[in-house]
Amino acid sequence: MATTPDTWGTIHAERRALLADVEELTPGQWATPSLCAGRTVQDTLAHMAATARMTLPGFFVKLAKAGFRFEDMTAREIAELTAGTPADTLAAFRGQLDSVSHPPGPVDSWLGETVVHAEDIRRPLGLAREYPVAALTRLADFYRGSNLLIGGKRRVEGLALRATDTDWSAGSGPEVRGPMLALLLAVTGRKVAHAELEGEGLPLLASRS
């Protein structure tokens, strides 16, 4: 799929859907560990807000201030947006719902940021969402072709992936099959999705996550 205004429309719609899901969280829910290692639900939403407000020049300035250590820069951004209450973090995210600002990278990165991190938040809270199938298949194709940050290409190399709830398949080798959302999460290293998958290639995929 080419980059179109609809891509940003999907991102904006998914941000709004996530906002609706987290607006009434309790303090305990905000402190729930997300699927992102070492980050709570509040931390992950803060990261999403920080990414959505980032400009290209701002990215390089902040990266330089962090000694060109990406993880340090990310941690600083999260700390800034979680210094107050969860309501403050929520307000920061709400302020970026229609933003098209972003760090360097293709638009699929920011679509993925929105969908995958939304699942990082929703799944530990027992929340479910039906995402647009076109977005899920687009992201699976994107992540399985790239090792940048996520390592999806390395993770699924030599495996055949097949969705059981839509017409999508990719790769060759031992098969891993299951729902499209679970396949996407597995490609991006979320082990929790393995319980929804099956096939002779699953043990190899699991060993790489």
PDB file of all heavy atoms in Angstrom, residues 102-140:
ATOM      1  N   HIS A 102       6.538  13.387  13.570  1.00  0.00           N
ATOM      2  CA  HIS A 102       7.142  12.094  13.876  1.00  0.00           C
ATOM      3  C   HIS A 102       8.650  12.176  13.727  1.00  0.00           C
ATOM      4  O   HIS A 102       9.172  13.052  13.035  1.00  0.00           O
ATOM      5  CB  HIS A 102       6.586  10.998  12.965  1.00  0.00           C
ATOM      6  CG  HIS A 102       6.771  11.288  11.505  1.00  0.00           C
ATOM      7  ND1 HIS A 102       7.962  11.048  10.845  1.00  0.00           N
ATOM      8  CD2 HIS A 102       5.929  11.810  10.576  1.00  0.00           C
ATOM      9  CE1 HIS A 102       7.837  11.386   9.577  1.00  0.00           C
ATOM     10  NE2 HIS A 102       6.618  11.855   9.380  1.00  0.00           N
ATOM     11  N   PRO A 103       9.373  11.265  14.357  1.00  0.00           N
ATOM     12  CA  PRO A 103      10.819  11.164  14.143  1.00  0.00           C
ATOM     13  C   PRO A 103      11.096  10.690  12.720  1.00  0.00           C
ATOM     14  O   PRO A 103      10.172  10.373  11.970  1.00  0.00           O
ATOM     15  CB  PRO A 103      11.253  10.099  15.169  1.00  0.00           C
ATOM     16  CG  PRO A 103      10.112   9.990  16.129  1.00  0.00           C
ATOM     17  CD  PRO A 103       8.890  10.308  15.348  1.00  0.00           C
ATOM     18  N   PRO A 104      12.377  10.602  12.319  1.00  0.00           N
ATOM     19  CA  PRO A 104      12.668  10.093  10.975  1.00  0.00           C
ATOM     20  C   PRO A 104      12.203   8.655  10.811  1.00  0.00           C
ATOM     21  O   PRO A 104      12.252   7.869  11.742  1.00  0.00           O
ATOM     22  CB  PRO A 104      14.203  10.197  10.881  1.00  0.00           C
ATOM     23  CG  PRO A 104      14.677  10.274  12.290  1.00  0.00           C
ATOM     24  CD  PRO A 104      13.600  10.966  13.056  1.00  0.00           C
ATOM     25  N   GLY A 105      11.727   8.348   9.609  1.00  0.00           N
ATOM     26  CA  GLY A 105      11.263   6.990   9.337  1.00  0.00           C
ATOM     27  C   GLY A 105      10.016   7.003   8.482  1.00  0.00           C
ATOM     28  O   GLY A 105       9.341   8.021   8.366  1.00  0.00           O
ATOM     29  N   PRO A 106       9.687   5.861   7.882  1.00  0.00           N
ATOM     30  CA  PRO A 106       8.517   5.765   7.014  1.00  0.00           C
ATOM     31  C   PRO A 106       7.217   5.804   7.810  1.00  0.00           C
ATOM     32  O   PRO A 106       7.194   5.508   9.012  1.00  0.00           O
ATOM     33  CB  PRO A 106       8.698   4.408   6.327  1.00  0.00           C
ATOM     34  CG  PRO A 106       9.494   3.609   7.316  1.00  0.00           C
ATOM     35  CD  PRO A 106      10.425   4.588   7.970  1.00  0.00           C
ATOM     36  N   VAL A 107       6.142   6.159   7.133  1.00  0.00           N
ATOM     37  CA  VAL A 107       4.860   6.290   7.812  1.00  0.00           C
ATOM     38  C   VAL A 107       4.403   4.964   8.409  1.00  0.00           C
ATOM     39  O   VAL A 107       3.692   4.942   9.425  1.00  0.00           O
ATOM     40  CB  VAL A 107       3.788   6.870   6.862  1.00  0.00           C
ATOM     41  CG1 VAL A 107       3.404   5.862   5.793  1.00  0.00           C
ATOM     42  CG2 VAL A 107       2.552   7.337   7.632  1.00  0.00           C
ATOM     43  N   ASP A 108       4.823   3.837   7.822  1.00  0.00           N
ATOM     44  CA  ASP A 108       4.442   2.547   8.392  1.00  0.00           C
ATOM     45  C   ASP A 108       4.974   2.385   9.814  1.00  0.00           C
ATOM     46  O   ASP A 108       4.388   1.670  10.624  1.00  0.00           O
ATOM     47  CB  ASP A 108       4.959   1.405   7.517  1.00  0.00           C
ATOM     48  CG  ASP A 108       4.150   1.241   6.242  1.00  0.00           C
ATOM     49  OD1 ASP A 108       3.041   1.801   6.167  1.00  0.00           O
ATOM     50  OD2 ASP A 108       4.624   0.573   5.312  1.00  0.00           O
ATOM     51  N   SER A 109       6.100   3.030  10.111  1.00  0.00           N
ATOM     52  CA  SER A 109       6.629   2.977  11.478  1.00  0.00           C
ATOM     53  C   SER A 109       5.639   3.561  12.473  1.00  0.00           C
ATOM     54  O   SER A 109       5.466   3.043  13.584  1.00  0.00           O
ATOM     55  CB  SER A 109       7.948   3.756  11.569  1.00  0.00           C
ATOM     56  OG  SER A 109       8.947   3.177  10.782  1.00  0.00           O
ATOM     57  N   TRP A 110       4.967   4.624  12.078  1.00  0.00           N
ATOM     58  CA  TRP A 110       4.067   5.322  13.006  1.00  0.00           C
ATOM     59  C   TRP A 110       2.702   4.653  13.044  1.00  0.00           C
ATOM     60  O   TRP A 110       2.025   4.693  14.073  1.00  0.00           O
ATOM     61  CB  TRP A 110       4.001   6.801  12.640  1.00  0.00           C
ATOM     62  CG  TRP A 110       5.378   7.259  12.267  1.00  0.00           C
ATOM     63  CD1 TRP A 110       5.783   7.859  11.106  1.00  0.00           C
ATOM     64  CD2 TRP A 110       6.577   7.037  13.028  1.00  0.00           C
ATOM     65  NE1 TRP A 110       7.135   8.025  11.102  1.00  0.00           N
ATOM     66  CE2 TRP A 110       7.659   7.536  12.264  1.00  0.00           C
ATOM     67  CE3 TRP A 110       6.841   6.464  14.274  1.00  0.00           C
ATOM     68  CZ2 TRP A 110       8.972   7.485  12.715  1.00  0.00           C
ATOM     69  CZ3 TRP A 110       8.149   6.398  14.719  1.00  0.00           C
ATOM     70  CH2 TRP A 110       9.198   6.910  13.953  1.00  0.00           C
ATOM     71  N   LEU A 111       2.305   4.030  11.931  1.00  0.00           N
ATOM     72  CA  LEU A 111       1.117   3.184  11.984  1.00  0.00           C
ATOM     73  C   LEU A 111       1.378   2.009  12.918  1.00  0.00           C
ATOM     74  O   LEU A 111       0.542   1.660  13.762  1.00  0.00           O
ATOM     75  CB  LEU A 111       0.777   2.684  10.570  1.00  0.00           C
ATOM     76  CG  LEU A 111      -0.442   1.759  10.444  1.00  0.00           C
ATOM     77  CD1 LEU A 111      -1.715   2.454  10.904  1.00  0.00           C
ATOM     78  CD2 LEU A 111      -0.582   1.264   9.000  1.00  0.00           C
ATOM     79  N   GLY A 112       2.561   1.405  12.788  1.00  0.00           N
ATOM     80  CA  GLY A 112       2.924   0.295  13.671  1.00  0.00           C
ATOM     81  C   GLY A 112       3.040   0.727  15.115  1.00  0.00           C
ATOM     82  O   GLY A 112       2.617   0.011  16.027  1.00  0.00           O
ATOM     83  N   GLU A 113       3.642   1.882  15.341  1.00  0.00           N
ATOM     84  CA  GLU A 113       3.747   2.435  16.695  1.00  0.00           C
ATOM     85  C   GLU A 113       2.375   2.511  17.343  1.00  0.00           C
ATOM     86  O   GLU A 113       2.201   2.161  18.511  1.00  0.00           O
ATOM     87  CB  GLU A 113       4.356   3.845  16.595  1.00  0.00           C
ATOM     88  CG  GLU A 113       4.414   4.617  17.881  1.00  0.00           C
ATOM     89  CD  GLU A 113       5.741   4.503  18.602  1.00  0.00           C
ATOM     90  OE1 GLU A 113       6.632   3.788  18.122  1.00  0.00           O
ATOM     91  OE2 GLU A 113       5.866   5.127  19.668  1.00  0.00           O
ATOM     92  N   THR A 114       1.401   2.953  16.568  1.00  0.00           N
ATOM     93  CA  THR A 114       0.056   3.145  17.103  1.00  0.00           C
ATOM     94  C   THR A 114      -0.637   1.813  17.377  1.00  0.00           C
ATOM     95  O   THR A 114      -1.193   1.612  18.457  1.00  0.00           O
ATOM     96  CB  THR A 114      -0.775   3.982  16.112  1.00  0.00           C
ATOM     97  OG1 THR A 114      -0.088   5.203  15.843  1.00  0.00           O
ATOM     98  CG2 THR A 114      -2.144   4.302  16.695  1.00  0.00           C
ATOM     99  N   VAL A 115      -0.612   0.904  16.436  1.00  0.00           N
ATOM    100  CA  VAL A 115      -1.333  -0.359  16.579  1.00  0.00           C
ATOM    101  C   VAL A 115      -0.649  -1.288  17.585  1.00  0.00           C
ATOM    102  O   VAL A 115      -1.293  -1.816  18.497  1.00  0.00           O
ATOM    103  CB  VAL A 115      -1.485  -1.057  15.215  1.00  0.00           C
ATOM    104  CG1 VAL A 115      -2.041  -2.470  15.389  1.00  0.00           C
ATOM    105  CG2 VAL A 115      -2.387  -0.246  14.295  1.00  0.00           C
ATOM    106  N   VAL A 116       0.649  -1.493  17.438  1.00  0.00           N
ATOM    107  CA  VAL A 116       1.343  -2.454  18.300  1.00  0.00           C
ATOM    108  C   VAL A 116       1.402  -1.963  19.739  1.00  0.00           C
ATOM    109  O   VAL A 116       1.136  -2.728  20.674  1.00  0.00           O
ATOM    110  CB  VAL A 116       2.750  -2.755  17.746  1.00  0.00           C
ATOM    111  CG1 VAL A 116       3.509  -3.676  18.702  1.00  0.00           C
ATOM    112  CG2 VAL A 116       2.654  -3.401  16.363  1.00  0.00           C
ATOM    113  N   HIS A 117       1.719  -0.691  19.943  1.00  0.00           N
ATOM    114  CA  HIS A 117       1.752  -0.192  21.317  1.00  0.00           C
ATOM    115  C   HIS A 117       0.354  -0.142  21.943  1.00  0.00           C
ATOM    116  O   HIS A 117       0.212  -0.276  23.163  1.00  0.00           O
ATOM    117  CB  HIS A 117       2.407   1.183  21.378  1.00  0.00           C
ATOM    118  CG  HIS A 117       3.903   1.129  21.315  1.00  0.00           C
ATOM    119  ND1 HIS A 117       4.628   0.079  21.826  1.00  0.00           N
ATOM    120  CD2 HIS A 117       4.820   2.012  20.809  1.00  0.00           C
ATOM    121  CE1 HIS A 117       5.917   0.301  21.638  1.00  0.00           C
ATOM    122  NE2 HIS A 117       6.052   1.459  21.011  1.00  0.00           N
ATOM    123  N   ALA A 118      -0.661   0.051  21.109  1.00  0.00           N
ATOM    124  CA  ALA A 118      -2.025  -0.019  21.648  1.00  0.00           C
ATOM    125  C   ALA A 118      -2.300  -1.412  22.208  1.00  0.00           C
ATOM    126  O   ALA A 118      -2.916  -1.565  23.269  1.00  0.00           O
ATOM    127  CB  ALA A 118      -3.044   0.332  20.562  1.00  0.00           C
ATOM    128  N   GLU A 119      -1.820  -2.442  21.510  1.00  0.00           N
ATOM    129  CA  GLU A 119      -1.961  -3.803  22.028  1.00  0.00           C
ATOM    130  C   GLU A 119      -1.079  -4.031  23.257  1.00  0.00           C
ATOM    131  O   GLU A 119      -1.457  -4.776  24.166  1.00  0.00           O
ATOM    132  CB  GLU A 119      -1.622  -4.819  20.943  1.00  0.00           C
ATOM    133  CG  GLU A 119      -2.737  -5.035  19.937  1.00  0.00           C
ATOM    134  CD  GLU A 119      -3.989  -5.596  20.599  1.00  0.00           C
ATOM    135  OE1 GLU A 119      -3.998  -6.782  20.977  1.00  0.00           O
ATOM    136  OE2 GLU A 119      -4.958  -4.827  20.744  1.00  0.00           O
ATOM    137  N   ASP A 120       0.090  -3.382  23.293  1.00  0.00           N
ATOM    138  CA  ASP A 120       0.939  -3.468  24.481  1.00  0.00           C
ATOM    139  C   ASP A 120       0.197  -2.974  25.717  1.00  0.00           C
ATOM    140  O   ASP A 120       0.432  -3.442  26.836  1.00  0.00           O
ATOM    141  CB  ASP A 120       2.202  -2.622  24.290  1.00  0.00           C
ATOM    142  CG  ASP A 120       3.163  -3.210  23.269  1.00  0.00           C
ATOM    143  OD1 ASP A 120       3.088  -4.430  23.023  1.00  0.00           O
ATOM    144  OD2 ASP A 120       3.983  -2.441  22.728  1.00  0.00           O
ATOM    145  N   ILE A 121      -0.693  -2.031  25.508  1.00  0.00           N
ATOM    146  CA  ILE A 121      -1.509  -1.483  26.597  1.00  0.00           C
ATOM    147  C   ILE A 121      -2.760  -2.320  26.826  1.00  0.00           C
ATOM    148  O   ILE A 121      -3.095  -2.671  27.957  1.00  0.00           O
ATOM    149  CB  ILE A 121      -1.889  -0.022  26.270  1.00  0.00           C
ATOM    150  CG1 ILE A 121      -0.644   0.886  26.379  1.00  0.00           C
ATOM    151  CG2 ILE A 121      -3.008   0.480  27.180  1.00  0.00           C
ATOM    152  CD1 ILE A 121      -0.869   2.298  25.879  1.00  0.00           C
ATOM    153  N   ARG A 122      -3.466  -2.638  25.762  1.00  0.00           N
ATOM    154  CA  ARG A 122      -4.768  -3.287  25.907  1.00  0.00           C
ATOM    155  C   ARG A 122      -4.679  -4.711  26.471  1.00  0.00           C
ATOM    156  O   ARG A 122      -5.483  -5.082  27.343  1.00  0.00           O
ATOM    157  CB  ARG A 122      -5.478  -3.343  24.548  1.00  0.00           C
ATOM    158  CG  ARG A 122      -6.064  -2.010  24.093  1.00  0.00           C
ATOM    159  CD  ARG A 122      -6.888  -2.188  22.825  1.00  0.00           C
ATOM    160  NE  ARG A 122      -7.624  -0.966  22.507  1.00  0.00           N
ATOM    161  CZ  ARG A 122      -7.354  -0.177  21.466  1.00  0.00           C
ATOM    162  NH1 ARG A 122      -6.355  -0.502  20.645  1.00  0.00           N
ATOM    163  NH2 ARG A 122      -8.078   0.903  21.241  1.00  0.00           N
ATOM    164  N   ARG A 123      -3.767  -5.491  25.976  1.00  0.00           N
ATOM    165  CA  ARG A 123      -3.753  -6.915  26.353  1.00  0.00           C
ATOM    166  C   ARG A 123      -3.559  -7.141  27.845  1.00  0.00           C
ATOM    167  O   ARG A 123      -4.280  -7.953  28.424  1.00  0.00           O
ATOM    168  CB  ARG A 123      -2.710  -7.656  25.529  1.00  0.00           C
ATOM    169  CG  ARG A 123      -3.106  -7.730  24.060  1.00  0.00           C
ATOM    170  CD  ARG A 123      -2.556  -8.919  23.352  1.00  0.00           C
ATOM    171  NE  ARG A 123      -3.245  -9.076  22.065  1.00  0.00           N
ATOM    172  CZ  ARG A 123      -3.391 -10.228  21.445  1.00  0.00           C
ATOM    173  NH1 ARG A 123      -2.904 -11.334  21.970  1.00  0.00           N
ATOM    174  NH2 ARG A 123      -4.039 -10.288  20.292  1.00  0.00           N
ATOM    175  N   PRO A 124      -2.631  -6.475  28.513  1.00  0.00           N
ATOM    176  CA  PRO A 124      -2.502  -6.677  29.959  1.00  0.00           C
ATOM    177  C   PRO A 124      -3.731  -6.215  30.740  1.00  0.00           C
ATOM    178  O   PRO A 124      -3.955  -6.667  31.863  1.00  0.00           O
ATOM    179  CB  PRO A 124      -1.268  -5.839  30.323  1.00  0.00           C
ATOM    180  CG  PRO A 124      -0.493  -5.735  29.055  1.00  0.00           C
ATOM    181  CD  PRO A 124      -1.531  -5.643  27.987  1.00  0.00           C
ATOM    182  N   LEU A 125      -4.523  -5.333  30.135  1.00  0.00           N
ATOM    183  CA  LEU A 125      -5.731  -4.832  30.787  1.00  0.00           C
ATOM    184  C   LEU A 125      -6.969  -5.642  30.430  1.00  0.00           C
ATOM    185  O   LEU A 125      -8.066  -5.355  30.919  1.00  0.00           O
ATOM    186  CB  LEU A 125      -5.959  -3.361  30.404  1.00  0.00           C
ATOM    187  CG  LEU A 125      -4.890  -2.368  30.862  1.00  0.00           C
ATOM    188  CD1 LEU A 125      -5.174  -0.987  30.277  1.00  0.00           C
ATOM    189  CD2 LEU A 125      -4.816  -2.308  32.380  1.00  0.00           C
ATOM    190  N   GLY A 126      -6.813  -6.639  29.571  1.00  0.00           N
ATOM    191  CA  GLY A 126      -7.947  -7.460  29.166  1.00  0.00           C
ATOM    192  C   GLY A 126      -8.875  -6.760  28.193  1.00  0.00           C
ATOM    193  O   GLY A 126     -10.061  -7.108  28.102  1.00  0.00           O
ATOM    194  N   LEU A 127      -8.357  -5.791  27.453  1.00  0.00           N
ATOM    195  CA  LEU A 127      -9.163  -5.051  26.487  1.00  0.00           C
ATOM    196  C   LEU A 127      -8.909  -5.590  25.086  1.00  0.00           C
ATOM    197  O   LEU A 127      -7.790  -5.993  24.760  1.00  0.00           O
ATOM    198  CB  LEU A 127      -8.811  -3.559  26.532  1.00  0.00           C
ATOM    199  CG  LEU A 127      -8.984  -2.870  27.886  1.00  0.00           C
ATOM    200  CD1 LEU A 127      -8.447  -1.436  27.826  1.00  0.00           C
ATOM    201  CD2 LEU A 127     -10.453  -2.873  28.303  1.00  0.00           C
ATOM    202  N   ALA A 128      -9.932  -5.593  24.260  1.00  0.00           N
ATOM    203  CA  ALA A 128      -9.804  -6.125  22.897  1.00  0.00           C
ATOM    204  C   ALA A 128     -10.297  -5.097  21.890  1.00  0.00           C
ATOM    205  O   ALA A 128     -11.180  -4.288  22.182  1.00  0.00           O
ATOM    206  CB  ALA A 128     -10.606  -7.414  22.754  1.00  0.00           C
ATOM    207  N   ARG A 129      -9.694  -5.133  20.701  1.00  0.00           N
ATOM    208  CA  ARG A 129     -10.131  -4.252  19.621  1.00  0.00           C
ATOM    209  C   ARG A 129      -9.974  -4.980  18.296  1.00  0.00           C
ATOM    210  O   ARG A 129      -9.009  -5.737  18.096  1.00  0.00           O
ATOM    211  CB  ARG A 129      -9.315  -2.962  19.593  1.00  0.00           C
ATOM    212  CG  ARG A 129      -9.643  -2.086  18.365  1.00  0.00           C
ATOM    213  CD  ARG A 129      -9.203  -0.677  18.517  1.00  0.00           C
ATOM    214  NE  ARG A 129      -9.434   0.104  17.310  1.00  0.00           N
ATOM    215  CZ  ARG A 129     -10.620   0.586  16.929  1.00  0.00           C
ATOM    216  NH1 ARG A 129     -11.697   0.356  17.679  1.00  0.00           N
ATOM    217  NH2 ARG A 129     -10.752   1.297  15.823  1.00  0.00           N
ATOM    218  N   GLU A 130     -10.902  -4.733  17.393  1.00  0.00           N
ATOM    219  CA  GLU A 130     -10.791  -5.232  16.023  1.00  0.00           C
ATOM    220  C   GLU A 130     -10.190  -4.117  15.167  1.00  0.00           C
ATOM    221  O   GLU A 130     -10.826  -3.111  14.918  1.00  0.00           O
ATOM    222  CB  GLU A 130     -12.158  -5.643  15.480  1.00  0.00           C
ATOM    223  CG  GLU A 130     -12.728  -6.887  16.146  1.00  0.00           C
ATOM    224  CD  GLU A 130     -13.978  -7.394  15.444  1.00  0.00           C
ATOM    225  OE1 GLU A 130     -14.221  -6.965  14.284  1.00  0.00           O
ATOM    226  OE2 GLU A 130     -14.690  -8.209  16.032  1.00  0.00           O
ATOM    227  N   TYR A 131      -8.963  -4.318  14.740  1.00  0.00           N
ATOM    228  CA  TYR A 131      -8.261  -3.319  13.926  1.00  0.00           C
ATOM    229  C   TYR A 131      -8.589  -3.528  12.450  1.00  0.00           C
ATOM    230  O   TYR A 131      -8.959  -4.629  12.037  1.00  0.00           O
ATOM    231  CB  TYR A 131      -6.747  -3.458  14.131  1.00  0.00           C
ATOM    232  CG  TYR A 131      -6.295  -3.221  15.537  1.00  0.00           C
ATOM    233  CD1 TYR A 131      -6.218  -4.274  16.451  1.00  0.00           C
ATOM    234  CD2 TYR A 131      -5.934  -1.947  15.970  1.00  0.00           C
ATOM    235  CE1 TYR A 131      -5.804  -4.067  17.758  1.00  0.00           C
ATOM    236  CE2 TYR A 131      -5.520  -1.730  17.281  1.00  0.00           C
ATOM    237  CZ  TYR A 131      -5.453  -2.792  18.167  1.00  0.00           C
ATOM    238  OH  TYR A 131      -5.048  -2.582  19.459  1.00  0.00           O
ATOM    239  N   PRO A 132      -8.443  -2.492  11.647  1.00  0.00           N
ATOM    240  CA  PRO A 132      -8.645  -2.664  10.201  1.00  0.00           C
ATOM    241  C   PRO A 132      -7.688  -3.730   9.653  1.00  0.00           C
ATOM    242  O   PRO A 132      -6.478  -3.657   9.884  1.00  0.00           O
ATOM    243  CB  PRO A 132      -8.316  -1.282   9.631  1.00  0.00           C
ATOM    244  CG  PRO A 132      -8.503  -0.333  10.769  1.00  0.00           C
ATOM    245  CD  PRO A 132      -8.117  -1.090  12.001  1.00  0.00           C
ATOM    246  N   VAL A 133      -8.227  -4.696   8.952  1.00  0.00           N
ATOM    247  CA  VAL A 133      -7.410  -5.796   8.442  1.00  0.00           C
ATOM    248  C   VAL A 133      -6.318  -5.276   7.514  1.00  0.00           C
ATOM    249  O   VAL A 133      -5.182  -5.762   7.536  1.00  0.00           O
ATOM    250  CB  VAL A 133      -8.291  -6.833   7.715  1.00  0.00           C
ATOM    251  CG1 VAL A 133      -7.430  -7.885   7.030  1.00  0.00           C
ATOM    252  CG2 VAL A 133      -9.241  -7.495   8.705  1.00  0.00           C
ATOM    253  N   ALA A 134      -6.635  -4.286   6.703  1.00  0.00           N
ATOM    254  CA  ALA A 134      -5.642  -3.744   5.774  1.00  0.00           C
ATOM    255  C   ALA A 134      -4.442  -3.177   6.520  1.00  0.00           C
ATOM    256  O   ALA A 134      -3.297  -3.284   6.057  1.00  0.00           O
ATOM    257  CB  ALA A 134      -6.267  -2.665   4.893  1.00  0.00           C
ATOM    258  N   ALA A 135      -4.693  -2.580   7.671  1.00  0.00           N
ATOM    259  CA  ALA A 135      -3.592  -2.039   8.472  1.00  0.00           C
ATOM    260  C   ALA A 135      -2.740  -3.168   9.039  1.00  0.00           C
ATOM    261  O   ALA A 135      -1.502  -3.078   9.057  1.00  0.00           O
ATOM    262  CB  ALA A 135      -4.139  -1.168   9.600  1.00  0.00           C
ATOM    263  N   LEU A 136      -3.368  -4.238   9.490  1.00  0.00           N
ATOM    264  CA  LEU A 136      -2.625  -5.352  10.080  1.00  0.00           C
ATOM    265  C   LEU A 136      -1.748  -6.045   9.037  1.00  0.00           C
ATOM    266  O   LEU A 136      -0.585  -6.363   9.306  1.00  0.00           O
ATOM    267  CB  LEU A 136      -3.594  -6.363  10.699  1.00  0.00           C
ATOM    268  CG  LEU A 136      -4.473  -5.866  11.847  1.00  0.00           C
ATOM    269  CD1 LEU A 136      -5.350  -7.004  12.366  1.00  0.00           C
ATOM    270  CD2 LEU A 136      -3.637  -5.276  12.974  1.00  0.00           C
ATOM    271  N   THR A 137      -2.293  -6.288   7.850  1.00  0.00           N
ATOM    272  CA  THR A 137      -1.504  -6.967   6.825  1.00  0.00           C
ATOM    273  C   THR A 137      -0.383  -6.066   6.317  1.00  0.00           C
ATOM    274  O   THR A 137       0.733  -6.531   6.064  1.00  0.00           O
ATOM    275  CB  THR A 137      -2.387  -7.418   5.648  1.00  0.00           C
ATOM    276  OG1 THR A 137      -3.084  -6.295   5.102  1.00  0.00           O
ATOM    277  CG2 THR A 137      -3.412  -8.449   6.106  1.00  0.00           C
ATOM    278  N   ARG A 138      -0.665  -4.792   6.203  1.00  0.00           N
ATOM    279  CA  ARG A 138       0.369  -3.843   5.790  1.00  0.00           C
ATOM    280  C   ARG A 138       1.528  -3.849   6.783  1.00  0.00           C
ATOM    281  O   ARG A 138       2.701  -3.884   6.406  1.00  0.00           O
ATOM    282  CB  ARG A 138      -0.223  -2.442   5.673  1.00  0.00           C
ATOM    283  CG  ARG A 138       0.809  -1.355   5.411  1.00  0.00           C
ATOM    284  CD  ARG A 138       0.141  -0.013   5.196  1.00  0.00           C
ATOM    285  NE  ARG A 138       1.134   1.014   4.928  1.00  0.00           N
ATOM    286  CZ  ARG A 138       0.888   2.131   4.251  1.00  0.00           C
ATOM    287  NH1 ARG A 138      -0.320   2.355   3.764  1.00  0.00           N
ATOM    288  NH2 ARG A 138       1.840   3.029   4.062  1.00  0.00           N
ATOM    289  N   LEU A 139       1.205  -3.836   8.052  1.00  0.00           N
ATOM    290  CA  LEU A 139       2.238  -3.801   9.074  1.00  0.00           C
ATOM    291  C   LEU A 139       3.020  -5.109   9.147  1.00  0.00           C
ATOM    292  O   LEU A 139       4.239  -5.099   9.362  1.00  0.00           O
ATOM    293  CB  LEU A 139       1.621  -3.476  10.428  1.00  0.00           C
ATOM    294  CG  LEU A 139       1.117  -2.044  10.570  1.00  0.00           C
ATOM    295  CD1 LEU A 139       0.377  -1.857  11.895  1.00  0.00           C
ATOM    296  CD2 LEU A 139       2.270  -1.049  10.464  1.00  0.00           C
ATOM    297  N   ALA A 140       2.336  -6.223   8.978  1.00  0.00           N
ATOM    298  CA  ALA A 140       3.041  -7.507   8.988  1.00  0.00           C
ATOM    299  C   ALA A 140       4.048  -7.561   7.845  1.00  0.00           C
ATOM    300  O   ALA A 140       5.186  -8.013   8.022  1.00  0.00           O
ATOM    301  CB  ALA A 140       2.049  -8.664   8.883  1.00  0.00           C
TER     302      ALA A 140
END
